[in-house]
Amino acid sequence: MALSAASRYDRCPCAGHYERRTVEVQMTVEGKPVVVEGVEQGRCPMCRSRVYRAVVLEALEGVMRARRLPEAHA
């Protein structure tokens, strides 16, 4: 589900710069715990706010609806 290494995030409203990282997302799908690893996230080191790209949120939504996880995007 990770985007290319060249992908960038915009600036945070606090004036910091989001840093690209991968995280583990834990959720419950149909009453069962699910862990999705390697989820791309932007995180501001100054205020610690987190952002996700739309394609990542759509993929997580697909998991929540018990659909197959899409292939990695370039």
Side-chain angles (χ1 to χ4, degrees):
M1 206 159 68
L3 298 174
S4 70
S7 66
R8 301 263 189 251
Y9 288 88
D10 290 329
R11 290 184 68 128
C12 180
C14 81
H17 290 277
Y18 288 111
E19 296 175 347
R20 181 183 174 272
R21 65 187 200 148
T22 56
V23 297
E24 176 182 284
V25 174
Q26 299 177 13
M27 63 181 83
T28 302
V29 178
E30 296 183 352
K32 297 178 185 175
V34 174
V35 177
V36 181
E37 297 178 351
V39 176
E40 185 178 294
Q41 176 189 82
R43 182 174 163 268
C44 177
M46 292 177 64
C47 71
R48 298 185 165 287
S49 70
R50 297 172 301 221
V51 294
Y52 297 89
R53 296 191 182 279
V55 67
V56 172
L57 293 175
E58 289 167 2
L60 290 173
E61 184 177 298
V63 171
M64 291 180 73
R65 292 183 178 169
R67 288 191 221 148
R68 238 175 48 114
L69 191 63
E71 298 300 317
H73 295 274

